[in-house]
Amino acid sequence: MLLLVLVFALPFGWMISTSLKTMPETMIFPPEWIPKQPVWQNYADAWNTGPFLRYFMNSVIIAIGILICQALTIIPAAYAFARYQFIGSKLLFSVVMVTLMIPAQLIFLPVYLELSALKLLNTHLGLILPFASSAFGIFLLRQGFMQVPEELIEAARLDQAKEWKIIAKLMVPMVKPVLITFALFSFIAHWNDYFWPLVMTTNETARTLPLGIAKIREVEGVATWNTLMAGNLILVAPILVVFFFSQRHIIRAFVYSGVK
């Protein structure tokens, strides 16, 4: 287990080490892990390569906006698939599952043309709407909802609780670890997304942090690895914070087995 942890931790440790080195130190071979004199200016240099505050706020708005839209769509959809038998329900669920096999690169052109016709390019809404729902989220929550005993739902209905109240007050709290785990996966995926913002934006108005990091290229033909690694740490830091506060729920989701 320790060996496995080291395999995943070493690249991250190397990124931190490189972000604090001078440019000549990044070229030393064999490499040195601990910089002789940490250079914190690398982070300021990375931040000043472009409007990073705008990139950061765009990333926050888009990632959170997608999460809100997904919550509004996948929760009722998963509840319907888990608790209702209606005509075509199995077929519709199969269609939802099939969409998991369609890569975004295959459908980006018609989506791009549609958003262009709606004049949503270079907007936050144009980056949020294509991901307003999630087939994986519907599947994951459906499996969680199916583990909730039917007796609890019937008891709520006997108390004259409406369906929306059953979902909000009973079902969602029961699958909270699963919901938080999905939210973390979704946040990481869209926070790190490079392809979609690159395709859907042509100026700095709605561009995100990954595109900002990509601008830290070369200076006089030499790759500035120290500045680039500092920029990558700026990109990764919010993900680490979110993971730190949600790790307990992630562990619970993997051992989730219904009502205790």
Side-chain angles (χ1 to χ4, degrees):
M1 182 66 71
L2 180 60
L3 181 62
L4 185 63
V5 170
L6 287 175
V7 169
F8 286 96
L10 280 175
F12 185 70
W14 176 249
M15 183 169 65
I16 296 175
S17 173
T18 305
S19 72
L20 294 172
K21 292 180 179 178
T22 61
M23 189 60 191
E25 285 180 315
T26 63
M27 302 298 179
I28 294 176
F29 187 84
E32 296 180 356
W33 279 89
I34 302 176
K36 295 178 181 178
Q37 184 67 37
V39 183
W40 299 101
Q41 182 63 30
N42 291 335
Y43 291 92
D45 292 341
W47 186 267
N48 292 327
T49 55
F52 259 68
L53 181 59
R54 174 178 292 178
Y55 295 148
F56 182 85
M57 293 307 300
N58 287 340
S59 291
V60 170
I61 292 170
I62 291 166
I64 294 179
I66 289 173
L67 279 179
I68 293 173
C69 291
Q70 287 179 341
L72 294 175
T73 56
I74 70 174
I75 292 175
Y79 179 73
F81 282 127
R83 292 301 176 181
Y84 284 95
Q85 294 295 327
F86 51 90
I87 298 175
S89 61
K90 292 183 178 180
L91 176 61
L92 288 174
F93 185 70
S94 299
V95 171
V96 171
M97 292 295 96
V98 168
T99 61
L100 286 171
M101 296 182 285
I102 302 176
Q105 291 80 0
L106 190 64
I107 62 172
F108 86 89
L109 183 56
V111 174
Y112 177 88
L113 294 175
E114 183 178 358
L115 292 176
S116 178
L118 295 172
K119 301 186 183 303
L120 291 177
L121 299 181
N122 295 310
T123 65
H124 295 141
L125 194 58
L127 292 172
I128 292 172
L129 284 181
F131 304 99
S133 189
S134 167
F136 175 68
I138 292 173
F139 168 75
L140 199 64
L141 282 184
R142 173 182 176 269
Q143 299 306 109
F145 286 154
M146 290 177 68
Q147 295 185 53
V148 179
E150 184 66 28
E151 291 79 6
L152 289 177
I153 300 175
E154 291 299 328
R157 287 173 179 160
L158 287 174
D159 288 337
Q160 299 182 344
K162 296 184 182 298
E163 292 299 309
W164 68 266
K165 196 168 185 178
I166 293 174
I167 295 174
K169 300 293 186 179
L170 177 62
M171 302 299 283
V172 170
M174 296 292 288
V175 298
K176 183 179 177 182
V178 177
L179 188 59
I180 291 177
T181 301
F182 167 74
L184 178 64
F185 289 159
S186 176
F187 179 83
I188 292 174
H190 297 294
W191 182 270
N192 290 331
D193 190 13
Y194 177 81
F195 174 77
W196 206 262
L198 179 65
V199 171
M200 296 299 168
T201 61
T202 57
N203 57 46
E204 309 295 340
T205 304
R207 287 195 163 174
T208 55
L209 268 178
L211 296 182
I213 300 300
K215 292 179 66 175
I216 308 174
R217 299 281 177 82
E218 297 185 353
V219 177
E220 297 180 356
V222 180
T224 54
W225 295 111
N226 50 350
T227 307
L228 184 60
M229 292 301 126
N232 283 323
L233 273 175
I234 294 173
L235 175 66
V236 170
I239 296 176
L240 295 178
V241 172
V242 171
F243 179 78
F244 176 79
F245 286 105
S246 60
Q247 60 178 326
R248 177 171 57 89
H249 297 286
I250 296 173
I251 295 172
R252 288 180 58 193
F254 281 106
V255 298
Y256 180 74
S257 59
V259 183
K260 295 183 179 180

